[in-house]
Amino acid sequence: MGIYFLLLIVGLCWGQYNPNTLPKRTSIVHLFEWRWQDIALECERYLAPNGFGGVQISPPNENVIVTDPQQPWWERYQPVSYKLCTRSGNETEFRDMVTRCNNVGVHIYVDAVINHMCGANAGAGDHATCGSYFNAKTEDFPAVPYSGWDFNDHKCKSRSGNIENYHDISQVRDCRLVSLLDLALEKDYVRSRVAEYMNHLIDIGVAGFRIDAAKHMWPGDVKAILDKLKDLNTQWFPEGTKPFIYQEVIDLGGEPIKGREYFGNGRVTEFKYSAKLGTVIRKWDGEKMAYLKNWGEGWGFVPSDKALVFVDNHDNQRGHGAGGASVLTFWGFGFMLAHPYGFTRVMSSFRWPRYFENGKDINDWVGPPSNSDGSIKPVTINADTTCGNNWVCEHRWRQIKNMVIFRNVVDGEPFSNWWDNGSNQVAFGRGNKGFIIFNNDDWSLNVSLQTGLPAGTYCDVISGQKEGDFCTAVEVHVAADGMANFLIGNEDEDPFIAIHVDAKL
Ligand code: AAO
């Protein structure tokens, strides 16, 4: 009875922090700009068999079609209505994806753009992805419908109507983010339209939401919307399950708006995590890996159970948003996925022709691989399991895929057996289930350490992996007392080794 009551309370009050992934599925992957058809296939052929918990998808609602530049990826952050048709697919394809992914235990997380509609300069007409008419100048969006009364113009106090100063809290929340028409979320009418959109997605079967630009909304307004949301679809989720909520709040510490103001609503994106990890691994600002011993709250991050963490995201990998300079695109994955802090999201990208002028990539706008008619190219799969058509598919890289599995295997195990050399060679375990060791110094590593693991021969999941009874990689011998010897040259391709109990030979 006592326990049941406790579970009930936890279920009712804390549901929005729970990612709603299946047990032992501890990460999601952002399949940035993928088509719904391809995501459905990827759930079935790759994500489910490899233990991925879910997919963050690009915004599924109707957006403006930008032609100058030609269909940039960021046009999807300019809503015109809440109809479900975009370059990723229509509502039928969306429903098919959600159903098929849920059926193999991989859940869908929607990027919800609810702070604003399109840019003030988006013009008028029917150049939106479902063909709906709109007029940005008169703030008319009949397909919702929204009219001029539903925007914040009267509230915004900046001269241009745009956010000019991130140190002015009201400006950040009541003015236009890069000229995007700012919705009046204090109005019950607007809150209801947004909630209807999100409830439609919940009915279809999604498991949660990334709340785009949450920093630009008052936490109380976000809460009022979330209070209108239904529980998840009982076809796939237990009765009374709330949607998982993670809010995009960029709080690097230098501004008055803090991530913690949003804890009442759900988790927040911890941008300090990727910014700091990048700085440490690049050894900038006198940082070294030895300092990672108290990684997490000890570094001033939000509490672990309130954090959504990532090594890079769709903005900062191309110089948008924040945290750009020190962001890592590969090395940090190993550390992030091994460390218990936060709920982890892996980025999966497309290639674009980077072209730097005065230190800025002038091609930072380039959209997903597409055909001449503007349709997004399918994700093709090569014989060696990598992706074609310029899809990068980082989540299919052996090292990353194997670390996603590592995290599942060690789920719930404590951070243990930390070791460092006072410099950039560090190691730690996860109880008696897994152990990882890094060499980011300019000299080789050769050391015997307590791993906490049962005796046996383990196959490194970084330099290769266990395939049947064979190990295609370095083997690690753990003695009866848990000790093992590690050797990592500083010029090894991936200068780290990771072992876990499911990769025991
Ligand atoms: C496009 C054009 C614009 C045009 C607009 C309307 O690029 O020129 O005016 O259309 O026509 C994406 C793109 C935008 C694009 C937009 C709409 O990134 O370029 O605009 O779609 O198509 C802020 C927000 C954060 C936002 C981020 C990009 O707080 O919410 O900007 N991210 C999300 C999405 C993103 C999307 C939107 C929101 C909009 O992930 O893809 O935009 O839906 C400071 C602030 C941050 C602020 C950054 C960037 O960061 O703290 O809150 O992020 O500035 O302005 C150091 C500081 C750090 C600082 C950073 C950068 O690191 O420590 O605090 O420098 O200065």
Side-chain angles (χ1 to χ4, degrees), residues 74 78 116 178 210 212 215-216 248 255 314-315 320:
W74 45 252
Q78 301 199 27
H116 51 262
V178 294
R210 167 187 185 266
D212 180 67
K215 178 179 180 173
H216 304 280
E248 189 222 8
E255 295 172 17
H314 72 278
D315 284 326
H320 286 233

Side-chain angles (χ1 to χ4, degrees), residues 21 47 66 99 125 148-149 220 237 239 248 275 311 326 335 416 431 437 449 492:
T21 48
L47 301 177
V66 174
T99 301
W149 301 103
F237 303 93
E239 213 162 301
E248 189 222 8
V311 168
S326 66
F335 190 88
S416 52
I437 175 163
L449 295 175
D492 288 3

Side-chain angles (χ1 to χ4, degrees), residues 32 64 66 72-79 111 113 115-122 162-163 166 172 177-181 210-216 248-255 271 313-315 319-325 364-365:
F32 181 49
V64 70
V66 174
W73 61 268
W74 45 252
E75 69 174 24
R76 299 188 66 170
Y77 290 89
Q78 301 199 27
D111 196 345
V113 185
N115 168 66
H116 51 262
M117 298 300 278
C118 63
N121 58 359
N162 293 328
I163 299 166
Y166 271 91
V172 174
L177 167 62
V178 294
S179 96
L180 298 160
L181 302 176
R210 167 187 185 266
I211 308 291
D212 180 67
K215 178 179 180 173
H216 304 280
E248 189 222 8
V249 182
I250 300 179
D251 171 10
L252 287 168
E255 295 172 17
F271 274 79
N313 76 358
H314 72 278
D315 284 326
H320 286 233
D364 66 345
W365 59 271

Side-chain angles (χ1 to χ4, degrees), residues 244-266:
F244 176 44
I245 300 296
Y246 55 106
Q247 304 159 92
E248 189 222 8
V249 182
I250 300 179
D251 171 10
L252 287 168
E255 295 172 17
I257 295 179
K258 302 294 175 206
R260 61 172 176 270
E261 295 169 47
Y262 292 83
F263 289 172
N265 300 331

Side-chain angles (χ1 to χ4, degrees), residues 24-43:
K24 295 281 171 194
R25 294 207 185 178
T26 57
S27 299
I28 59 174
V29 55
H30 182 192
L31 296 180
F32 181 49
E33 288 276 12
W34 281 43
R35 302 182 315 157
W36 309 149
Q37 296 177 43
D38 291 321
I39 294 178
L41 289 167
E42 192 70 352
C43 285

Side-chain angles (χ1 to χ4, degrees), residues 406 435-439 459-463 474 476 485-488 492 494-499:
F406 180 106
F435 193 79
I436 189 163
I437 175 163
F438 299 86
N439 178 14
C459 184
D460 173 26
V461 299
I462 302 302
S463 56
V474 170
V476 177
N485 189 70
F486 295 92
L487 210 126
I488 309 177
D492 288 3
D494 301 307
F496 57 110
I497 291 176
I499 53 177

Side-chain angles (χ1 to χ4, degrees), residues 123-135:
D126 55 7
H127 53 289
T129 49
C130 309
S132 300
Y133 172 83
F134 69 100
N135 186 335

